[in-house]
Amino acid sequence: MTEIPMRPLRLILLFVPTLLGLAVVHGASAQTLMPHRAVYDLALLETSDDSDIDGLTGRWVFEFSGSACEGYTLKSRIVMRFETADGPNLVDQQVTSFESSDSKTLRFTTKSFVEEQLESEVEGTAKLEDGNTVVGYEQPEKVEKTFAATLFPTAQLRELLEKANAGQRFYETAIFDGTEFTDKAIQVSVVVGDPKPVENDDPEKKALGALAKDTFRPVTAAYFNGREDEKEQGEETSDYNVSFKLHEGGLQRDMVIRYADYSMTAKLVDLSVFEPESCEPEKKN
């Protein structure tokens, strides 16, 4: 029987994700990220012979805001309706996080509902300390976990954009985004393609608005949960992978999310771009 996924979908962002025109300083370089709200329609693409999923529809609303001086807030809500052999299932996944401007602290809350009943909740604060990631969970239990250093969502998106602009076509990284109760990082393998223009017949062109004049890069990211038994046998396979089109400011669109027994699409249908928050203090009259 197909397991209805409770893991929140990740944008590489920051992001996934994560998606964004503020200046974020990283060493001697600066990367511009675009504060925005993106809405995606979700649909079933295909299923395996063993899948019990007959249909899938849904909507994903993703919002990114903040500034290089105050930090960054990410809000994501995904509502999906699965049609299965056992009947329909309504899944509602809600994620809120705040990442400090130096990407060393992440506060997070993730709630997953099935048929409007709370199925799981993850809440806590993660910090980068002495070369490690230290996570203090409040939910589902009060406990502290320590593992190798990782990137938080905004830092992950910043890394992707910087490597793409530097011409690096493949790299691996480790992330933590607060969407799961875990004691280890998620490993990600990323493949980045060459810039391409938005075609006139692109179905997402209207939603892009002024961004339709920009180029994008095709990206594929494979996520691994780090199962030790597979590593020992030399046959580790990705938990799932996501292909998407990445715009310079961090916007991700035209996504295909592939799980073991089914895949789904996320198409951009609405985009609101916000003015960057100023780091300059307001002048008093």
Side-chain angles (χ1 to χ4, degrees), residues 2 20 54 61 79 117 120 126 135 137 144 194 197 206 221 226 230 233 256 273 281:
T2 300
L20 330 160
D54 298 321
V61 180
V79 178
Q117 300 297 312
S120 65
V135 185
Y137 288 104
E144 185 174 280
D194 293 326
K206 181 178 180 180
E230 288 190 349
Q233 298 173 28
V256 177
V273 177

Side-chain angles (χ1 to χ4, degrees), residues 12-214:
I12 285 199
L13 163 175
L14 182 175
F15 286 259
V16 161
T18 247
L19 314 183
L20 330 160
L22 9 152
V24 177
V25 178
H26 181 63
S29 64
Q31 180 62 59
T32 299
L33 302 178
M34 181 182 68
H36 71 282
R37 180 179 184 268
V39 180
Y40 305 90
D41 275 350
L42 307 177
L44 183 67
L45 180 61
E46 59 184 5
T47 62
S48 68
D49 293 338
D50 298 329
S51 175
D52 292 330
I53 296 177
D54 298 321
L56 183 161
T57 56
R59 177 151 285 198
W60 184 357
V61 180
F62 179 90
E63 185 172 316
F64 180 87
S65 60
S67 72
C69 48
E70 297 295 335
Y72 309 93
T73 298
L74 177 159
K75 296 180 180 179
S76 171
R77 184 175 184 183
I78 304 168
V79 178
M80 297 179 288
R81 182 181 177 87
F82 290 86
E83 300 294 341
T84 73
D86 296 324
N89 283 278
L90 184 67
V91 177
D92 184 352
Q93 300 172 330
Q94 303 172 19
V95 180
T96 301
S97 67
F98 173 81
E99 184 170 338
S100 62
S101 58
D102 60 4
S103 291
K104 293 183 178 180
T105 301
L106 177 72
R107 299 197 301 268
F108 55 88
T109 301
T110 297
K111 295 182 179 180
S112 297
F113 299 82
V114 176
E115 298 297 334
E116 300 183 347
Q117 300 297 312
L118 183 62
E119 183 79 7
S120 65
E121 181 176 2
V122 181
E123 182 179 356
T125 300
K127 296 183 178 182
L128 299 182
E129 297 179 347
D130 300 324
N132 294 312
T133 301
V134 180
V135 185
Y137 288 104
E138 297 295 331
Q139 294 287 350
E141 61 181 276
K142 193 173 180 63
V143 66
E144 185 174 280
K145 303 286 187 179
T146 301
F147 43 92
T150 60
L151 293 178
F152 298 145
T154 301
Q156 183 196 4
L157 177 62
R158 187 168 58 208
E159 178 189 57
L160 170 58
L161 293 171
E162 290 177 351
K163 287 184 179 296
N165 289 333
Q168 192 165 340
R169 295 296 178 256
F170 173 81
Y171 70 95
E172 295 180 331
T173 191
I175 68 169
F176 177 84
D177 58 12
T179 59
E180 296 176 274
F181 182 59
T182 183
D183 59 359
K184 57 190 173 185
I186 297 295
Q187 305 296 321
V188 188
S189 295
V190 183
V191 178
V192 185
D194 293 326
K196 296 183 177 181
V198 177
E199 300 293 343
N200 288 331
D201 60 352
D202 190 315
E204 294 174 308
K205 183 176 181 178
K206 181 178 180 180
L208 282 171
L211 295 185
K213 299 177 182 179
D214 299 338

